[in-house]
C-alpha cells in the first residue's frame, strides 16, 4: 500500500523535504511507517523516537493502524498561541 | 464556518461581535501578542506556519468542546505568516450568560490550542540566528504535551 508522510517545521528541515510517499506492506502501524521512513530518508533519524503523529488530520498514536491512501503527519512540538 | 487561521491582522472586535448575543452578558477575551524576547534573546520577528487543514479541524473541535462544556459561544483566530513584535498572534473570545463560564471557556480554548493545534513558530533573533520554538524543551515535564494530545486522540 502507499501512504503519504508529511513533515513540518524542524522535522522538514531534518528530512530536507516536506513530504515522502512510502510503500508499506499490509498491515502496518504508524510505528512501522516511522521505521521505514528512517531507512528511506536518513535525515529523519534525527526526529525523536516517539514524535506526535496524526493520521488523516486527527491526532493518533504510534500503534494506530495505517491504511492505503492515508496521510500521516509527523508533528514537532506545537508552538501556536 | 469562517476560517480560524488568517494571514491578515486579527480584528478582536469582530471576533467579539461574532460570539455576542443579547442573552450573553459575559464576554471574556484573550489576546496573545508577539514578544520581543525569548530565552533571554532579543526577537526581531517571527513566522507562524501550520499543517493548515488539520489546524483548522482541530481548532474547530476545541471550539465545539468548549461550547458543549459551557453555555457559551466561542471563537478564535490565529495568524500565520510573518509577524512583527506586538502583532496579535492569537485571539480567543467566549461569551456566556455570566462571566464565570466565559472565563473558563476562553481559558480552555487557548490552553487546548497550545497543545493540540499543529502550528509552529520560527523566531529570528537579533544575533542573526533562527530557531523553531519548542515550548516543551524548557519544561522539565516535557512529556506533558504528548500526554495531553494522547488524551485527545479519538
Amino acid at each position: 500500500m502507499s501512504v503519504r508522510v508529511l513533515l513540518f517545521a524542524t522535522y522538514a528541515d531534518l528530512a530536507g523535504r516536506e513530504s515522502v510517499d512510502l510503500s508499506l506492506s499490509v498491515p502496518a502501524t504508524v510505528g512501522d511507517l516511522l521505521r521505514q521512513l528512517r531507512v528511506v530518508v536518513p535525515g529523519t533519524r534525527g526526529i525523536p523516537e516517539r514524535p506526535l503523529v496524526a493520521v488523516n488530520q486527527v491526532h493518533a498514536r504510534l500503534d494506530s493502524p495505517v491504511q492505503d491512501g492515508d496521510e500521516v503527519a509527523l508533528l514537532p512540538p506545537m508552538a501556536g498561541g | 464556518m469562517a476560517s480560524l487561521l488568517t494571514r491578515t491582522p486579527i480584528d478582536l472586535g469582530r471576533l467579539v461581535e461574532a460570539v455576542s448575543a443579547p442573552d450573553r452578558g459575559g464576554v471574556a477575551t484573550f489576546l496573545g501578542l508577539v514578544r520581543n524576547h525569548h530565552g533571554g534573546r532579543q526577537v526581531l520577528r517571527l513566522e507562524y506556519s501550520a499543517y493548515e487543514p488539520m489546524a483548522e479541524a482541530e481548532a474547530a473541535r476545541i471550539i465545539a468542546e468548549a461550547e458543549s462544556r459551557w453555555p457559551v459561544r466561542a471563537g478564535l483566530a490565529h495568524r500565520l505568516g510573518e509577524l512583527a513584535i506586538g502583532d496579535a498572534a492569537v485571539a480567543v473570545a467566549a461569551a456566556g450568560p455570566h462571566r464565570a463560564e466565559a472565563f473558563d471557556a476562553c481559558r480552555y480554548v487557548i490552553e487546548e490550542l497550545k497543545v493540540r493545534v499543529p502550528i509552529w513558530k520560527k523566531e529570528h533573533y537579533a544575533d542573526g540566528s533562527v530557531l523553531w520554538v519548542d515550548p516543551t524543551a524548557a519544561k522539565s515535564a516535557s512529556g506533558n504535551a504528548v500526554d495531553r494530545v494522547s488524551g485527545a486522540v479519538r
Side-chain angles (χ1 to χ4, degrees):
Chain A
M1 66 174 169
S2 174
V3 174
R4 169 152 290 196
V5 183
L6 301 182
L7 300 151
F8 296 92
T10 180
Y11 294 174
D13 290 350
L14 284 168
R17 53 208 284 191
E18 295 182 334
S19 72
V20 182
D21 291 318
L22 282 187
S23 289
L24 294 173
S25 50
V26 184
T29 63
V30 173
D32 297 331
L33 174 149
L34 278 172
R35 275 185 285 280
Q36 172 133 2
L37 180 68
R38 290 185 177 111
V39 173
V40 176
V41 184
T44 61
R45 289 170 197 166
I47 293 174
E49 193 98 343
R50 304 180 58 81
L52 294 177
V53 296
V55 176
N56 298 329
Q57 302 169 14
V58 176
H59 287 293
R61 303 169 195 273
L62 296 188
D63 60 2
S64 298
V66 173
Q67 280 158 19
D68 187 44
D70 277 354
E71 178 177 286
V72 178
L74 308 189
L75 310 173
M78 296 168 198
Chain B
M1 171 188 276
S3 173
L4 305 171
L5 305 175
T6 175
R7 285 187 160 72
T8 55
I10 290 172
D11 184 342
L12 182 62
R14 214 170 65 179
L15 195 62
V16 168
E17 212 171 281
V19 298
S20 295
D23 61 337
R24 299 186 203 118
V27 182
T29 63
F30 174 80
L31 203 51
L33 309 182
V34 176
R35 244 190 316 264
N36 69 353
H37 61 94
H38 181 216
R41 289 204 281 177
Q42 190 190 346
V43 177
L44 295 182
R45 60 190 172 84
L46 53 73
E47 296 158 44
Y48 281 102
S49 62
Y51 176 16
E52 292 191 37
M54 179 175 171
E56 287 278 358
E58 193 68 16
R61 285 190 278 269
I62 292 168
I63 296 289
E65 289 161 17
E67 291 180 344
S68 74
R69 273 180 79 163
W70 294 277
V72 299
R73 278 291 310 280
L76 76 85
H78 200 296
R79 277 291 288 281
L80 294 182
E82 195 161 307
L83 274 72
I85 306 306
D87 284 348
V90 64
V92 178
H98 304 285
R99 67 185 179 282
E101 52 266 31
F103 275 123
D104 288 349
C106 183
R107 177 93 196 232
Y108 178 82
V109 170
I110 186 63
E111 299 296 345
E112 293 296 307
L113 178 146
K114 281 180 167 283
V115 293
R116 289 168 51 187
V117 178
I119 294 175
W120 299 282
K121 178 163 68 172
K122 192 183 213 176
E123 289 183 338
H124 296 253
Y125 303 101
D127 63 8
S129 59
V130 176
L131 202 67
W132 288 105
V133 175
D134 176 359
T136 62
K139 297 169 189 163
S140 56
S142 61
N144 270 357
V146 174
D147 294 342
R148 296 284 303 282
V149 168
S150 299
V153 170
R154 274 148 203 94

